[in-house]
Amino acid sequence: MILFTKLYDRILSEKGKSRVLLQTYFGDIRDCYSKVIAMPFDGIGLDFVEGQKTLEIVKNFGFFEDKTLFAGIVNGKNIWRNNYSNTVNLIRELGKYWKSVVLSTSCSLLHVPFTLKNESNLSDAYKKHLAFAEEKLTELSELKRILSNSDPESTTEYRENEKLFNELRNCGNANVQAALSALSQDDFIRHPDFEEREKIQKAEFNLPLLPTTTIGSFPQTADVKANRSNYKKGKISFEQYVAFNKGKISEWIALQEKIGLDVLVHGEFERNDMVEYFGENLDGFLFTEKAWVQSYGTRCVKPPIVWGDISRSKPMTIDYSVYAQSLTSKYVKGMLTGPVTILNWSFPREDISLKDCAFQIALAIRDEVLDLEASGIKVIQIDEAALREKLPLRKSDWHSEYLDWAIPAFRLVHSGVKPETQIHTHMCYSEFADIIKDIDDMDADVITFEAARSDLSIVKTLKECGFKTEVGPGVYDIHSPRIPSVSEIKEALLKMLDEIPKEKLWVNPDCGLKTRGNEETIPSLENLVIAAKEIRKSLSV
Ligand code: GLN
Ligand code: ZN
């Protein structure tokens, strides 16, 4: 706040005739509000959607005649229609504290898709509940018209909106709700505890020291993508589509055996995206055709929409996993995406809590885990690539608002498996020093994560906090086409072994290989296996 005051005092002292609006978003500004409001800003933008305390702090500070409030009342991050009745009441309330109020979105519209206009596959029954960027602007102008009427509740727009929100949205599933309310503490605890399981699994799997594995996907080469798109366009039959994928699986199982990896994967050739694939196979999601949003840089994603209660009506990954396992005597990992990542990379519902929604997804993925186990899959990886993404801005809210349900959601997915079934998880980053206890609390047996680009600093932290979970910090960066040499992989492993007991260390790349080509993937994995074998030898002397 000292820096803020210093900077803005200077900006405001030189504003001359210009008017300055301070725009805030992604939450309330709590403790800073009293200072900000005392400064000569002409307007202040506050977020009334994510800012849980915004209204309360506004109420505490009296009336402002000379400043304008830019009230963020239309959600800039989610895709649901605005509830006009709530908004009209809120604006009336705000009128008691601010003479001049501007209606605004809660943040920039970068986070929502452009327009609903081109979504021809979605029926109106769904679309009427949605508002993308263009529709949000319409909402703002409708709200303006409504609020400038002496009797807002009598306007057509208001009444139509009220009708929409009074309508039953037909999104509930009684079985899911019953399963959710039947959950007890024990459903979140895996038995026996980690140490016991680790012993059982060491005996069961009999893997070498420093077991080698990959994160799941293999290169999505042009033929893999063509197979998926031909099937989607109806150019090939389901049988042809599956036969191609099985061919790829068998090719890559043979390759992995030849390279000498210890724990294999099927390669994820059937998946477009790790969230979209599960969204499409679960009940309760809606899919758009053109609703892209920026993920980072030029990379865009098309997040599924959580429409209703989530359930699994059929197995989603069993066939390919069982097929892959049938081709080899080595262990093949079953490969799933975890509930927190599925939720964080979708547009969530607003009529139930994120916690309830995460638990619903967890129950659905749990069924898949149990089916994989029953089908003979002994190692199951549940990816939580996006676990860290929705940590609240304020550290003080991390547990109460997020981790206290996100970690249990993950535990719910795997708590039902046998002690000798090994649960892996994967995260795309290693900046988790500040939530390291929570990561350990996920109670997975093995976690793999990105470490190649962050100079292994996390490894020290793991030791300091007595991290129990076995770990596979990525030994090379898959985001670059560079082929890592045997000696540099060995060097990375030796550094890791300074801090991590050899019984707990796994050897793997730092993420899935789907964006790489075969020409760099195969030699990189060959080097990885040679490096692991050489270090292994030196450890056993
Ligand atoms: N299993 C996934 C893959 O290998 C994980 C992807 C990710 O971490 N983003 O592609
Ligand atoms: Zn990753």
Side-chain angles (χ1 to χ4, degrees), residues 321-473:
S321 284
V322 167
Y323 175 69
Q325 185 62 82
S326 75
L327 301 171
T328 174
S329 56
K330 294 203 166 170
Y331 296 104
V332 179
K333 289 192 269 192
M335 196 58 63
L336 306 172
T337 302
V340 185
T341 296
I342 293 183
L343 183 62
N344 285 353
W345 283 348
S346 304
F347 287 117
R349 278 166 77 172
E350 288 176 348
D351 59 334
I352 65 169
S353 66
L354 290 174
K355 171 184 168 180
D356 280 351
C357 194
F359 284 8
Q360 290 183 0
I361 305 173
L363 284 170
I365 303 291
R366 177 187 171 97
D367 288 346
E368 188 74 10
V369 165
L370 294 174
D371 273 356
L372 280 167
E373 183 183 62
S375 315
I377 304 299
K378 306 260 191 235
V379 185
I380 301 170
Q381 180 173 312
I382 306 156
D383 291 328
E384 282 293 13
L387 184 105
R388 206 179 194 287
E389 275 184 20
K390 290 278 155 80
L391 269 179
L393 291 182
R394 281 190 183 77
K395 224 172 186 165
S396 56
D397 297 336
W398 280 7
H399 276 95
S400 56
E401 284 182 19
Y402 182 68
L403 292 169
D404 286 353
W405 58 259
I407 304 301
F410 183 85
R411 295 174 65 117
L412 180 57
V413 173
H414 70 92
S415 63
V417 299
K418 293 186 246 167
E420 58 271 28
T421 297
Q422 190 167 70
I423 298 294
H424 289 219
T425 187
H426 166 72
M427 282 169 195
C428 289
Y429 46 78
S430 60
E431 304 98 51
F432 50 62
D434 43 9
I435 51 166
I436 199 138
K437 281 270 166 254
D438 303 282
I439 304 283
D440 221 14
D441 257 1
M442 291 165 77
D443 206 24
D445 298 305
V446 181
I447 173 169
T448 58
F449 50 86
E450 177 279 320
R453 282 172 298 165
S454 46
D455 75 8
L456 301 178
S457 58
I458 186 69
V459 171
K460 274 203 169 55
T461 319
L462 294 174
K463 181 175 182 180
E464 278 158 21
C465 85
F467 202 70
K468 70 176 193 324
T469 315
E470 296 186 8
V471 291

Side-chain angles (χ1 to χ4, degrees), residues 207-213 262-263 470 502 505-508 536:
L207 291 168
L209 271 181
L210 314 190
T212 52
T213 190
D262 299 304
V263 175
E470 296 186 8
K502 58 183 188 300
L505 185 62
W506 286 67
V507 184
N508 45 264
R536 222 176 258 162

Side-chain angles (χ1 to χ4, degrees), residues 52 74 114 260 441-442 514:
Q52 292 174 7
V74 167
F114 190 77
D441 257 1
M442 291 165 77
K514 62 173 171 252

